[in-house]
Amino acid sequence: MIRLVPRQSASNGWQVATPLLAVLATMVMGGLLFAIMGYDPVAAIRTIFWDPLFGPAASYSRPQLLVKAAPLILIASGLAVGFRAGIWNIGAEGQYIIGGITGAAVALAVYPLEAWWLFPAMVAAGLAGGWAWGMIPALLRNWFGASEILVSLMLVYVAQRVAAWMAFGPMRNPEGMGFPGSRNLQQYPSAANPELIAGTGAHWGVVAAALAVLATWFLMSRHIRGFHIRAAGIAPRAARFAGVRPQTLVAFCLGLSGALAGAAGLFEVAGPAGQITDKLGVGYGFTAIIVAFLGRLHPVGILLAGLLLALTYIGGELAQLTMQLPAATVQVFQGMLLFFLLGFDLLTRFQIRRRVSA
Amino acid sequence: MTANVFRAERIGKSYPGVRANDEVSFAVAAGEIHALLGENGAGKSTLVKMIYGLVRPDDGRMWLGDALYAPTDPRAARQSGVAMVFQHFSLFDALTVAENIALGMENPPPRRELAARITQVSHDFGLPLNPGRRIVTLSAGERQRVEIIRCLLQNPRLLIMDEPTSVLTPQEAELLFATLRKLAAKGTAILYISHKLEEIRAHCDRATILRHGRVVDSCDPRAHSARELAAMMVGGEMRAIDRSGRQAGEVLLKVQGLSQPAPSAEGTALKEVALTLRAGEILGIGGVAGNGQEELLAALSGEVRSTPGTVLLDGRDLSTEGPEPRRIAGLLAAPEDRLGHAAVPDFSLAENTLLTAGARKGLVRGGLIDHGGARAYAEAVIRDFDVRTPGPGAAARALSGGNLQKFVIGREVMQDPRVLVVNQPTWGVDAGAAAAVRQSLLDLARKGAGIIVISQDLDELLELSDRFCALNEGRLSNPLSTKGLTLDSIGLMLGGAHGMEEARA
C-alpha cells in the first residue's frame, strides 16, 4: 500500500520539477486523447509544441509567440502578486476588457488628432480602467466581506456585456457601414501599437511584460511591501502584527493586477486586435491564472510559463489548420496542464512511502 | 510495598535524526501519583504516547499489572484500563457535557443513566459538573473536569495527565489535586506530567526525571527543593535570577479608559482598562487564559487601534496608530503565539527580523530591504540569546519552541524598546530557556525600559514583576506591589475558581 507522509518543509527540487512533470504528463495524456480520437498522437504533439517554432511555417508563427505571450505574462505577473497574499483575482479577463475599452476611448475621443502624447495617455487610461474594475471587488470585500473570487469572476461577464454594448453602440465606427466594432486603431498612427522590430512580433505590450516581470521580481524580493504580501499569504496574523492592514493589501493587490490586466487589454486593442469588438476577451485573463501557477508565482517562472502557454495557443491553431483537430484542443490542453500541476503539487508537500502492511 | 500497576522496561523510540526515548525503565505503583519530569524535548510526550498507544515503541517492553502490555491504538489502551487527559481538550463546543462524554465512549449507556453516572462520579470525586450544560459555557477548568470524568467513567487503572494545571487558577488546581488524591486512595495509579516543580513537590509521591530521552534520576520530590529538581532536569546548576539594580523612573506608558468590543464570538471585550508603567519597572498581568490577554496585547501593539486618548507613550497619543509607528516611537510587543503570529513559520530567521525590526534597526530604508543587514541582525540575536539553530537561514518552524521564543524575545529586546509588552514569554519553554528569557527582561528593565509581562504562570509573575494586576473578563484590577503577595491572594484576585462554591457546598 502507498501512503502519503507530509514533508517537514516544501521540497525545492519538486518545486521546479512539478511544472516540468505536468507539461510532460499533459503531452502524454494529450497524445493518448488524440490517439483515441483517431489522430496520429506523435504528429499532433509535434504540431502543437514543435512546429510553431521550428516547423515549415515557423517564420509566420514564431512572431506570434511574443504577441500571445505578452498579455499572458503581463496579466500573470500582477495576479501572482495577489495570489501570494491569498487574494484571488479570478476576473483579470474583465479587467483586460475594460482596460482595452478605456484605453481605446481616449483615442476614439480625440480622433483624428495626431499627437505624441496620445499613446502614453491611452496606456494610462488602460491601466486606470483595469485598476478601477479591480477595485470593485476590492472595495466590496473591504466594506462588506464579499468574496473577491466571486465578485471578480462575475464582473467578467459584466465587462463582456459592456464590450458588446460599446462595439454596437457608442464606439461603433461611424464610417463602418453599420458593421459592429470601433475604428481600427492600427490605421491611426498616433494610437497604434505597432510591431517595434519587424518579424519579432514585439510590440509595446512585450516591453511592458518584460518590465512587469522585472518590477514584480523587485517588489517581491527587495521591497518591504512584497515581504508583507508574502507574509500575509502564509501567516496573516504575523503580517498584521508587522503592521499590515489587510484592507490596504486587498486594495493594492486587486488594483495592481487589475491595472496590469487593463494595460494588456489596451496593448491588444491598439495592436494585434486593432479595434473594440464584442469578441474583445479571448481568454487571456483566464489562461493567465494557469500561467501564474505554472510559473510557481515567481516572475521568472511566469515568463517561461507564459511562453509555453502561448505556444499551446499557436500550436493549437496550427493543429486545427493542418490536422483538423477540434478548436477546443487548446482549452483541453491548458486545463490538463493546470490539473496535472495541482496534482503533482502534492509531491512538494508530501512524500510517498510504501507501507508493508496495513 | 504495593504492586506496580504499570512498568516499562528499557523501552526506546527513534525518530529520524533523534533518539526520543532510550532505555527508559520505570514503574508506577497502585495509589501513587507519579510525576514525569523533564524539559521540553526530554522525551516525556513520546513516552506517554507509547503508553497510550499512539506511538509504538521500537524496543523494550511494558507491563500492565502482570500482563505484557503492547497497545496497538488508544482504543486498546483504554480497554486495558489506561486513560489520558490531554493538555488540549477535544470537546465539541455546541454539545452538552453528557453528549461529549457519550461520544468518547465505546458503548455509551442510555442518556439518563449516563447523566446519573456523571453526577455520581463528579460527586464522588469533588468535581462539580452539570451534565446538561453546553461546553461553550464552561471555563477551562470545567472543561478539564469533563475530560477527567470521561476518563473516570472507564474506571482506569492508570490515569495519565499531561500538564493539567497550565489552564487552571491556583484554586482550581487545588481542587484537581484533591480529586487526584481521592482517586489514588482508591488504588488508581496516576502518571502526572508537568514542569511546575512546586506543584510536583507538593503533590507527587515519586518523580522520574527524563533528560535527552533517558531516565536520569528517580526521587521523592518532597525530599528535594525546587532548585535541586530543576538541576536534575537540566543537568546542571540553575542560574539564579538577578533582580537587582532597577528603580522606577518617570511614567512611560499610560493606558486609560481602554475599551474594545470582542473581536470575535470567542474573543473577550476589554472594559475600561487603565494602567501606568514607569521606566525600569516590570508590571505583571495575570489571569486565566481567555480573559482578554490577547486582546490587550493587540491593543498595545497596535494591531487593533483604539479610541483617541487611550494609549499614550511619553505623553504622545498612539491610540490610533498602527504597529509600525508605535515601534518607531518605542512601544514594542511580543505576542504569545510564536508560530504564525510573532513569526512567519516558513520564513527564515533573517526574514523574520523584518517583521518588527525594519525601522528601528535600519533594515528597511525607503521601503527597500537590506537583506544583508537582516541576516546580520538575526545572527546577533542568535548569538546574544543563545538560540540553538544552524543559522539565520533556518526556517522559523524548524526551531524548537524554546529556541524560537528566545529568538522572538531577543528580536524585540535588542531593539532597545522604551516599552516592551510580552504575552506568555516562557509558555512551553524549557527551564533553561525560560530563565534566560526572564533574565533578559530584567536586564532590559535595568537599562530603563518599562515592561509589561502578561502571563498565566503566577510563579513567573511573582519572580519578575514589581507590581501585579489581574485581568478578569476583560477588566484589569488595580495593581498591587508584589512584595508580600502570595499565590493564594493572587488566586483570589483572578476572580476565584469557577465552580468553587459548588465544590465546597
Side-chain angles (χ1 to χ4, degrees):
Chain A
M1 211 181 110
I2 286 172
R3 111 196 126 112
L4 291 171
V5 182
R7 287 177 192 273
Q8 287 284 311
S9 59
S11 150
N12 282 330
W14 281 111
Q15 288 270 43
V16 178
T18 45
L20 301 177
L21 214 57
V23 172
L24 212 67
T26 305
M27 288 187 183
V28 172
M29 287 309 289
L32 216 63
L33 187 73
F34 294 139
I36 292 168
M37 290 163 68
Y39 299 97
D40 174 4
V42 177
I45 297 294
R46 199 192 55 228
T47 308
I48 294 172
F49 288 99
W50 182 262
D51 284 354
L53 295 177
F54 311 106
S59 59
Y60 165 75
S61 55
R62 220 177 284 149
Q64 284 295 307
L65 192 67
L66 288 183
V67 170
K68 304 273 190 209
L72 290 177
I73 293 169
L74 193 53
I75 300 169
S77 298
L79 291 180
V81 171
F83 292 169
R84 280 289 192 91
I87 295 161
W88 306 104
N89 180 5
I90 304 300
E93 182 78 1
Q95 295 136 21
Y96 168 92
I97 293 172
I98 297 296
I101 292 173
T102 52
V106 174
L108 297 173
V110 300
Y111 180 85
L113 177 86
E114 296 287 348
W116 65 266
W117 52 261
L118 181 56
F119 190 67
M122 288 163 65
V123 175
L127 285 165
W131 174 83
W133 208 248
M135 285 306 282
I136 299 172
L139 294 179
L140 290 180
R141 171 163 164 179
N142 284 345
W143 290 342
F144 307 113
S147 159
E148 79 280 11
I149 300 176
L150 294 178
V151 175
S152 64
L153 179 63
M154 290 191 289
L155 281 170
V156 172
Y157 305 107
V158 177
Q160 285 170 348
R161 302 313 301 160
V162 172
W165 171 49
M166 286 295 161
F168 287 97
M171 287 188 174
R172 173 143 58 169
N173 184 358
E175 295 151 25
M177 327 238 244
F179 282 105
S182 71
R183 289 181 195 280
N184 195 321
L185 298 178
Q186 279 177 326
Q187 290 152 19
Y188 180 3
S190 285
N193 174 23
E195 195 176 21
L196 297 174
I197 306 163
T200 59
H203 55 70
W204 283 111
V206 176
V207 178
L211 288 177
V213 167
L214 281 175
T216 51
W217 170 81
F218 181 81
L219 171 74
M220 296 310 283
S221 63
R222 289 284 177 272
H223 198 275
I224 191 71
R225 171 55 64 85
F227 174 82
H228 285 158
I229 286 169
R230 287 189 290 131
I234 309 170
R237 282 176 76 210
R240 214 168 307 157
F241 173 60
V244 178
R245 283 190 118 160
Q247 288 89 341
T248 316
L249 219 53
V250 167
F252 176 82
C253 290
L254 281 163
L256 176 74
S257 50
L260 292 186
L266 174 274
F267 290 124
E268 194 69 13
V269 166
Q275 57 176 165
I276 298 286
T277 66
D278 58 334
K279 304 267 187 324
L280 188 52
V282 290
Y284 284 138
F286 291 119
T287 307
I289 297 170
I290 303 176
V291 170
F293 280 109
L294 194 64
R296 289 262 160 251
L297 307 182
H298 188 282
V300 176
I302 286 168
L303 186 69
L304 299 174
L307 290 168
L308 178 72
L309 270 277
L311 189 63
T312 64
Y313 268 121
I314 303 160
E317 278 171 26
L318 208 60
Q320 274 177 62
L321 280 173
T322 59
M323 299 183 68
Q324 282 77 47
L325 281 179
T329 309
V330 183
Q331 279 138 350
V332 171
F333 253 78
Q334 293 179 349
M336 265 199 236
L337 203 51
L338 186 62
F339 172 82
F340 282 120
L341 181 73
L342 297 177
F344 286 130
D345 248 5
L346 205 67
L347 297 175
T348 64
R349 282 175 292 114
F350 293 90
Q351 278 176 302
I352 294 179
R353 288 244 184 95
R354 213 173 286 209
R355 188 155 52 172
V356 187
S357 66
Chain B
M1 188 68 199
T2 44
N4 284 336
V5 167
F6 173 83
R7 189 153 62 86
E9 194 181 273
R10 301 167 66 109
I11 56 175
K13 177 75 195 173
S14 292
Y15 291 113
V18 57
R19 184 83 176 144
N21 274 167
D22 192 28
E23 303 229 333
V24 172
S25 303
F26 74 107
V28 190
E32 180 183 61
I33 303 183
H34 191 113
L36 208 50
L37 200 55
E39 294 193 285
N40 277 34
K44 296 177 307 227
S45 306
T46 306
L47 182 55
V48 162
K49 279 180 188 163
M50 289 191 288
I51 301 174
Y52 194 55
L54 285 162
V55 172
R56 279 203 240 175
D58 294 337
D59 33 52
R61 288 186 289 186
M62 296 187 282
W63 278 270
L64 201 62
D66 294 326
L68 207 56
Y69 170 66
T72 47
D73 54 32
R75 180 177 301 194
R78 283 197 295 270
Q79 271 165 1
S80 310
V82 175
M84 179 160 173
V85 176
F86 288 90
Q87 199 175 355
H88 300 285
F89 307 142
S90 46
L91 298 171
F92 293 96
D93 278 358
L95 300 181
T96 65
V97 169
E99 286 165 340
N100 266 287
I101 289 175
L103 277 175
M105 295 176 86
E106 310 297 337
N107 306 302
R111 186 163 301 187
R112 191 173 308 166
E113 194 187 315
L114 181 63
R117 278 180 63 192
I118 291 170
T119 313
Q120 180 68 40
V121 169
S122 75
H123 180 79
D124 288 351
F125 290 97
L127 292 169
L129 198 62
N130 175 352
R133 276 181 71 187
R134 283 182 191 284
I135 299 298
V136 70
T137 65
L138 303 183
S139 72
E142 289 169 311
R143 288 174 198 214
Q144 187 181 59
R145 281 176 220 162
V146 180
E147 296 273 13
I148 295 173
I149 286 173
R150 184 191 268 177
C151 290
L152 295 187
L153 284 173
Q154 302 160 16
N155 294 315
R157 296 153 78 187
L158 175 66
L159 175 66
I160 306 169
M161 305 212 66
D162 189 7
E163 304 220 13
T165 56
S166 55
V167 293
L168 304 182
T169 63
Q171 280 80 357
E172 283 177 324
E174 283 306 320
L175 206 59
L176 172 69
F177 285 117
T179 303
L180 294 183
R181 277 275 152 237
K182 282 182 197 165
L183 201 57
K186 293 191 174 185
T188 307
I190 295 163
L191 190 56
Y192 189 91
I193 299 158
S194 177
H195 42 218
K196 290 190 182 172
L197 301 171
E198 289 299 345
E199 198 173 274
I200 284 170
R201 286 187 57 230
H203 299 287
C204 295
D205 305 311
R206 283 203 70 71
T208 294
I209 295 153
L210 288 179
R211 189 165 73 225
H212 303 313
R214 292 166 159 273
V215 174
V216 291
D217 216 333
S218 169
C219 67
D220 178 351
R222 288 165 298 202
H224 294 271
S225 71
R227 284 187 75 82
E228 286 165 350
L229 291 177
M232 291 183 212
M233 266 165 65
V234 301
E237 194 59 20
M238 290 291 292
R239 196 157 52 122
I241 284 277
D242 175 13
R243 291 180 45 127
S244 66
R246 288 183 299 122
Q247 48 194 20
E250 78 280 19
V251 171
L252 290 179
L253 181 73
K254 200 168 173 60
V255 176
Q256 49 198 11
L258 175 64
S259 296
Q260 294 280 11
S264 64
E266 300 86 43
T268 307
L270 293 177
K271 295 160 193 139
E272 292 288 321
V273 170
L275 63 86
T276 50
L277 181 71
R278 294 176 176 277
E281 183 189 43
I282 298 184
L283 175 69
I285 295 180
V288 177
N291 272 291
Q293 285 92 337
E294 281 194 29
E295 290 79 1
L296 179 60
L297 184 114
L300 293 176
S301 74
E303 286 164 84
V304 175
R305 292 152 179 86
S306 53
T307 43
T310 48
V311 178
L312 296 101
L313 182 72
D314 297 322
R316 187 182 147 204
D317 189 1
L318 291 175
S319 318
T320 56
E321 302 280 8
E324 204 47 30
R326 291 192 198 201
R327 285 191 194 107
I328 292 167
L331 173 54
L332 272 58
E336 169 185 0
D337 226 352
R338 294 177 284 258
L339 274 181
H341 196 183
V344 180
D346 296 327
F347 281 8
S348 69
L349 295 180
E351 283 185 297
N352 267 301
T353 63
L354 297 168
L355 229 39
T356 66
R360 285 183 82 81
K361 283 290 166 185
L363 307 179
V364 177
R365 267 178 253 114
L368 298 187
I369 297 169
D370 173 4
H371 282 290
R375 212 180 156 78
Y377 183 54
E379 265 163 10
V381 173
I382 290 168
R383 189 179 57 237
D384 290 10
F385 278 77
D386 189 28
V387 180
R388 311 274 166 81
T389 169
R397 73 155 78 250
L399 270 66
S400 74
N403 277 310
L404 186 56
Q405 185 67 14
K406 284 195 279 189
F407 180 81
V408 165
I409 296 283
R411 179 182 70 188
E412 308 306 328
V413 166
M414 286 179 67
Q415 293 184 51
D416 275 322
R418 291 187 57 72
V419 170
L420 177 62
V421 186
V422 294
N423 188 7
Q424 296 275 63
T426 61
W427 180 74
V429 170
D430 63 57
V437 164
R438 288 177 193 153
Q439 189 61 53
S440 73
L441 295 175
L442 285 161
D443 293 344
L444 182 65
R446 188 182 302 134
K447 284 197 275 180
I451 297 176
I452 295 178
V453 177
I454 305 172
S455 179
Q456 287 160 53
D457 183 341
L458 298 180
D459 292 319
E460 170 171 273
L461 291 174
L462 284 181
E463 187 175 0
L464 287 178
S465 43
D466 307 297
R467 288 186 301 148
F468 174 86
C469 325
L471 191 60
N472 193 9
E473 290 178 356
R475 283 197 183 80
L476 195 65
S477 73
N478 285 322
L480 290 178
S481 167
T482 45
K483 283 201 190 83
L485 212 55
T486 63
L487 274 179
D488 263 355
S489 51
I490 287 181
L492 291 172
M493 276 177 82
L494 299 182
H498 297 269
M500 287 295 293
E501 300 73 18
E502 293 170 60
R504 296 209 171 108

